Amino acid sequence: VVSKKLGRPGPALSLPKGRAADSWAEHRWTAVPASAAQIEELAQEHGLEPSQVEHLATLYGPGLSAVLSAAREPGLRERICPHSPDIRAQIAHAVEQEGAATLADVFLRRTGVGLGRCLGLDCADEAAQVMARCAGWDETRAAHEVAEYEAYVRKTYHPRGQHSSAD
């Protein structure tokens, strides 16, 4: 339904091989512009801001409908982080449909949260709880994911004025 409203083809059922893979990859990552009216309609229908729908359409292309379907679940249409247009449904989609196994994977590869203003540090705890529900983690695993992600970010990016001893 979403793909039809945006005038885009539906999601692929399997990954093609050979030349078909090249054309699929090109189509998958090429944003097809939708009209402002279509974006607005989807935003109203799913309780999102138009800028969020546009962001999701650009990110997921024909897979947009799967993410918007996940956003119908309670609490999943909320932003992951106040500094990013990404929504919690993307976490569910990443775990359940794309096989994401770590918080770092979700933040750095599946969404833009890890590249935002706070690098995902302001929302890591809440995001790990969403991921825990989707992946069946216990509290220990969720806390471990947050600690691992925070350590990685601090080592890699030195956020918030923290510097290594070499600085």
Side-chain angles (χ1 to χ4, degrees):
V1 173
V2 172
S3 297
K4 189 180 231 181
K5 286 183 181 179
L6 290 178
R8 299 177 184 180
L13 298 176
S14 63
L15 295 177
K17 297 182 178 22
R19 287 188 181 172
D22 294 338
S23 127
W24 177 84
E26 181 179 311
H27 170 75
R28 170 66 174 94
W29 300 112
T30 302
V32 177
S35 74
Q38 291 168 320
I39 294 290
E40 183 65 37
E41 181 181 346
L42 285 171
Q44 287 179 358
E45 183 179 330
H46 294 281
L48 299 169
E49 297 170 22
S51 62
Q52 289 176 294
V53 173
E54 191 166 16
H55 168 74
L56 294 171
T58 299
L59 189 61
Y60 291 96
L64 173 64
S65 60
V67 176
L68 291 178
S69 292
R72 288 190 167 103
E73 295 296 319
L76 293 185
R77 75 173 59 139
E78 306 301 323
R79 286 179 185 260
I80 297 170
C81 181
H83 310 296
S84 169
D86 295 293
I87 60 174
R88 293 176 179 181
Q90 291 174 260
I91 298 172
H93 180 76
V95 171
E96 296 166 2
Q97 303 300 319
E98 299 176 343
T102 67
L103 185 60
D105 185 11
V106 169
F107 276 7
L108 299 170
R109 292 181 199 89
R110 318 283 178 163
T111 69
V113 173
L115 303 174
R117 187 170 80 183
C118 72
L119 301 174
L121 296 176
D122 290 350
C123 58
D125 289 321
E126 288 182 30
Q129 291 305 312
V130 173
M131 198 165 179
R133 286 191 298 277
C134 297
W137 296 346
D138 60 18
E139 288 295 321
T140 302
R141 171 70 189 271
H144 174 77
E145 287 297 322
V146 170
E148 287 289 311
Y149 180 72
E150 288 175 345
Y152 172 81
V153 168
R154 287 194 170 89
K155 178 181 175 189
T156 305
Y157 301 108
H158 311 295
R160 299 193 179 126
Q162 295 182 3
H163 303 284
S164 68
S165 57
D167 290 344

